[in-house]
Amino acid sequence: MSTLAEEFNAQAVFRGVPLAAQLDLTYRCNERCVHCYLDHDDAGEMTFAELDRLLGEMAAAGVFQLTLSGGEPLLRKDFFAIARRARELDFNLKLKTNGILIRAEAAAALRALCLDSIQMSIYSHRAEVHDAITKVPGSLARSLGAARFLIAQGLRVKFATVLMRQNRTDYPAVQALAQEIGAGFTLDPTVTPHINGDRSILALNIDSADLRGVMHDPLVTGDGASFCATPAGPGEDELNSFPCSAGHSACYISPYGEVYPCVQFPLACGNVRQQSFAAIWRDSPQLAEVRAVKIRDLPTCSVCPHAGTCTRCPGLAYMEGNLRGPSTADCEKSYARTGIPTAAMRRH
């Protein structure tokens, strides 16, 4: 049975409504994480006036859930003015931050915004590991201090852990730490290629043995038997479905006004400095191409036994050179989960 959120998203896709958007306010950051997929130089961020206009256009187009992110969004001196304007427009507002700049006063100001939730990247419970990944000494202590300030204000905080070779054994302790202080927890076993196409940081990905261990860990999977069950293969419903919500009910906007289907899908679809948000969402040829692709249109994935259960990311596939091709990272996850080779694996 589908959840209310799934029904809501399905209606947004049917009606062509951009239900959710991530807006990066800056690519500048006070950390230098080894796996980061962004350039941190300022190439001409949108001004407050430009962002004010954009927020109004997004609200008029039907955006409901807005995530403010970066880089580190709190590096913008006008961050709170931007966030207050977003709340005036009734966005359901989320924030991604490393928390380094958050002290008690900032936590109270964030509480006044009535944020839906705040996501913070915590890579390890061990300072020597976390700080080596962020390249900022003391960053774990400062992020955890911020999390405690925020939770004390009644805000919902979630720890997000990207799994890499450096921290591959630490996620259970991070999850336990999150539970201890009242935060949520999410785990991502995939390192994303750099937005400029550089794939060298993928060397940070955990190896296949570690990935199998994660995919069979009840802490991650919950009902392991169901999660790792042999896939039945795609039926008509799966073949007629879209790969994900990117470009259908969700999008991403860079600090420079560029619109993409998703933060992990660097297919430029227009720029809000040159066109209105609604015009890009409605008329972009690139978004039209993304929306035209169903599972049955994927030559390899449509005949794969995992098609109905795979987490295939079209953005990762696009960065591998083929919008309609398989995503290697997701093939590896499906194989690690079930032990059954994917169609792409069988062809190589």
Side-chain angles (χ1 to χ4, degrees):
M1 181 179 294
S2 62
T3 66
L4 180 59
E6 290 170 337
E7 293 285 350
F8 203 27
N9 186 70
Q11 282 297 312
V13 172
F14 178 74
R15 298 174 186 274
V17 175
L19 184 65
Q22 176 172 319
L23 172 59
D24 279 2
L25 300 179
T26 181
Y27 283 164
R28 291 175 289 130
C29 194
N30 45 10
E31 294 182 333
R32 286 293 182 270
C33 298
V34 296
H35 64 293
C36 187
Y37 52 83
L38 297 174
D39 290 315
H40 294 303
D41 294 332
D42 180 359
E45 297 165 4
M46 285 186 282
T47 64
F48 178 82
E50 289 176 310
L51 288 165
D52 185 27
R53 175 180 54 79
L54 172 60
L55 291 172
E57 292 176 355
M58 293 169 70
V63 174
F64 168 67
Q65 180 179 298
L66 178 63
T67 301
L68 299 181
S69 185
E72 172 47 53
L74 271 74
L75 282 175
R76 284 198 58 138
K77 294 180 180 179
D78 56 0
F79 168 78
F80 283 101
I82 295 166
R84 281 193 295 270
R85 180 58 182 147
R87 288 297 298 126
E88 288 170 1
L89 291 167
D90 291 329
F91 289 111
N92 177 257
L93 197 60
K94 299 174 182 284
L95 173 65
K96 292 183 180 180
T97 175
N98 58 40
I100 285 181
L101 298 176
I102 297 175
R103 298 292 187 271
E105 184 178 350
L110 289 169
R111 174 67 182 87
L113 291 168
C114 298
L115 297 177
D116 176 274
S117 60
I118 298 175
Q119 179 176 301
M120 301 176 63
S121 293
I122 302 294
Y123 301 109
S124 174
H125 62 298
R126 296 180 291 161
E128 65 271 21
V129 175
H130 177 95
D131 295 359
I133 290 172
T134 66
K135 298 184 181 180
V136 176
S139 57
L140 177 62
R142 293 169 70 178
S143 291
L144 291 179
R148 291 186 171 96
F149 281 132
L150 294 165
I151 292 169
Q153 289 290 333
L155 288 158
R156 291 196 295 173
V157 175
K158 177 183 287 187
F159 290 172
T161 300
V162 176
L163 208 55
M164 295 169 273
R165 292 179 183 271
Q166 295 94 318
N167 66 344
R168 66 188 185 279
T169 62
D170 290 1
Y171 70 87
V174 176
Q175 185 174 19
L177 177 61
Q179 292 173 342
E180 176 187 328
I181 69 171
F185 174 79
T186 184
L187 180 69
D188 185 354
T190 303
V191 174
T192 300
H194 197 280
I195 198 167
N196 67 9
D198 182 6
R199 301 178 64 79
S200 62
I201 57 175
L202 300 189
L204 297 171
N205 271 316
I206 59 176
D207 63 27
S208 56
D210 283 330
L211 184 59
R212 282 196 301 274
V214 171
M215 289 296 175
H216 290 261
D217 185 344
L219 284 175
V220 177
T221 65
D223 180 5
S226 173
F227 183 79
C228 299
T230 302
E236 282 299 309
D237 287 346
E238 286 82 12
L239 290 173
N240 287 322
S241 65
F242 299 114
C244 74
S245 61
H248 294 275
S249 62
C251 66
Y252 163 67
I253 305 164
S254 82
Y256 316 123
E258 299 148 334
V259 178
Y260 302 99
C262 172
V263 69
Q264 292 189 148
F265 198 159
L267 173 65
C269 301
N271 193 298
V272 296
R273 284 173 157 166
Q274 301 162 0
Q275 297 172 272
S276 71
F277 175 79
I280 295 170
W281 182 260
R282 182 183 62 241
D283 301 327
S284 164
Q286 294 82 7
L287 285 175
E289 180 183 10
V290 170
R291 292 167 186 158
V293 179
K294 296 183 178 181
I295 298 296
R296 66 168 61 256
D297 301 317
L298 308 176
T300 301
C301 299
S302 62
V303 297
C304 181
H306 298 278
T309 57
C310 180
T311 57
R312 175 188 177 274
C313 172
L316 294 179
Y318 172 77
M319 283 193 274
E320 287 190 40
N322 186 356
L323 174 61
R324 291 171 171 79
S327 158
T328 298
D330 292 303
C331 286
E332 291 171 351
K333 284 188 281 187
S334 289
Y335 179 61
R337 181 169 55 86
T338 65
I340 298 172
T342 67
M345 291 175 171
R346 289 171 179 168
R347 292 184 179 184
H348 289 87

